[in-house]
Structure formats: C-alpha cells, structure tokens
Amino acid sequence: MQSIRVNRNLIKVVHSQKQGLEVYRFYCMARHAYSHRSGLFSLDEFCDLLFSRYGYTSLHKKAGNKRKKYKLKFDSLFSNSILFNRTPDGRFIASSERRILRHYKGTDKSSWYELPGADILASKGGFNDFCIGVLLAGNRFRSNKIAAEYCGCTVRRVQLATSKNHKDAYFRKQYNFIDDITGPKKK
C-alpha cells in the first residue's frame, strides 16, 4: 500500500494563497488514489472515489443524488487552486508537491509526515487535527496562535487537537522544562 503524506511547507503555501485545508485534503485523496495515472482524474471519478472509499453517501449513482452540486463545487474549488491543473479535455491533474514548493516557496525542501491510515482523510476534523500536529511537530517552537491561523481555527481547537494527537500517539506533546540552578555546583 502506498503511503499518504502531509507536507508542512505545502500547508503553509496553501495558507499563503488563501486556500483552506479542505482543498489540501482533497489533494491528498487525489494524489493517493490516482498516483498510478500521474494524478489525472475526472470529476465523476473523484465523486466515485468519495462515495466508495470516504463515506460520502449522497454521491451514489441512483436518482436523487447530489453529484451535480458536488461536481460544481469541486470544479470551482479545483480550478481556483494551485494544487490542481485542468487539462484541455476537462479532467484535472494533481500537481507535484516539489513543483508547487519550488514555485511558491522558492525551495523544494520537503518536510512531510506520513498519515497512519487513509481513514483520517475521511474525516475533515481528523485531517485538520493531523495538520495541526504536523505544523507543531519538529524541533522549533511554534505558537498555537500561528497554527490556528494556518488551519483556520481557534487556539482552543489547536489545544484540543494537540491533546488528541498525543492520545492517539500520532504526535507526542513535549514540554519545555526550565532547570532552576541556584547555589554553587556542589549543592
């Protein structure tokens, strides 16, 4: 099974381009599902993917489905996104992470984290929690306020996501302890 990765620098680029984490979540789904075809897919195929793998029950193929509404939403979302390119025949291609990072960030340095399972992509909240963990992970201090700005949520939501990530063992919470050294060396 191919691993699904979330890139910290790409989250920052998506935020700087005023796009939400939802489009990045759909990008991760498309990259994972259509990697054998270089990321090429149609909107009908994407709706089939959401129905069969990710629990979008209203995207069935019977009468009374909401496919037209979703396809219009995805068309405008993907057309206005830096993560997708439209082909001349109307299909979309999930762009390369390295190309996007090189163009918008000036580097193709990757700082990615592997998703523990594809079921995280099925939940918008679970994916946002994982992205918060990705933003706060690493060896540098990052404030909850900045992570909240990147993810479009409140500081309290960042605290809850950090606690949930620690409980699920995705990312461990780390505390900065200050050693109070008073007195001479012998004491």
Side-chain angles (χ1 to χ4, degrees):
M1 180 180 161
Q2 179 191 4
S3 65
I4 306 170
R5 305 183 311 182
V6 175
N7 190 330
R8 178 190 304 151
N9 290 333
L10 202 52
I11 293 172
K12 292 177 182 179
V13 168
V14 167
H15 171 71
S16 70
Q17 297 297 313
K18 308 267 189 276
Q19 299 174 0
L21 282 181
E22 184 178 25
V23 71
Y24 186 57
R25 181 172 146 245
F26 291 138
Y27 172 77
C28 290
M29 288 177 185
R31 292 265 312 193
H32 176 65
Y34 303 113
S35 61
H36 62 283
R37 296 192 309 190
S38 299
L40 185 65
F41 63 95
S42 68
L43 291 177
D44 282 323
E45 291 170 340
F46 193 69
C47 288
D48 290 341
L49 171 75
L50 291 177
F51 173 72
S52 63
R53 275 199 214 162
Y54 297 108
Y56 282 69
T57 54
S58 61
L59 293 178
H60 54 81
K61 290 190 176 184
K62 300 175 201 164
N65 62 17
K66 295 184 181 177
R67 280 189 175 233
K68 185 175 183 179
K69 180 180 104 173
Y70 272 96
K71 282 170 46 175
L72 288 173
K73 174 188 170 186
F74 293 144
D75 187 36
S76 68
L77 196 66
F78 296 165
S79 296
N80 299 325
S81 175
I82 60 169
L83 301 173
F84 298 97
N85 293 325
R86 183 186 288 273
T87 60
D89 62 353
R91 295 185 292 177
F92 288 94
I93 295 177
S95 301
S96 164
E97 288 181 2
R98 292 183 71 194
R99 186 187 66 76
I100 295 168
L101 288 175
R102 197 175 321 114
H103 185 265
Y104 289 97
K105 197 153 174 71
T107 180
D108 60 354
K109 188 174 180 183
S110 182
S111 57
W112 53 268
Y113 294 84
E114 190 173 324
L115 283 172
D119 58 330
I120 290 178
L121 288 175
S123 167
K124 184 178 178 180
F127 183 75
N128 288 352
D129 289 349
F130 192 82
C131 287
I132 289 169
V134 166
L135 286 170
L136 295 176
N139 58 356
R140 293 189 315 165
F141 174 75
R142 291 167 185 88
S143 70
N144 289 346
K145 184 178 178 183
I146 293 173
E149 287 175 14
Y150 280 128
C151 295
C153 61
T154 63
V155 174
R156 179 63 183 143
R157 180 71 187 124
V158 171
Q159 294 167 348
L160 290 172
T162 304
S163 174
K164 183 179 180 296
N165 285 333
H166 179 74
K167 187 179 87 177
D168 292 340
Y170 298 149
F171 300 98
R172 296 282 182 197
K173 284 181 10 183
Q174 296 177 352
Y175 300 98
N176 295 331
F177 292 106
I178 299 172
D179 294 330
D180 184 22
I181 302 171
T182 55
K185 183 177 178 181
K186 291 181 181 178
K187 289 184 181 180

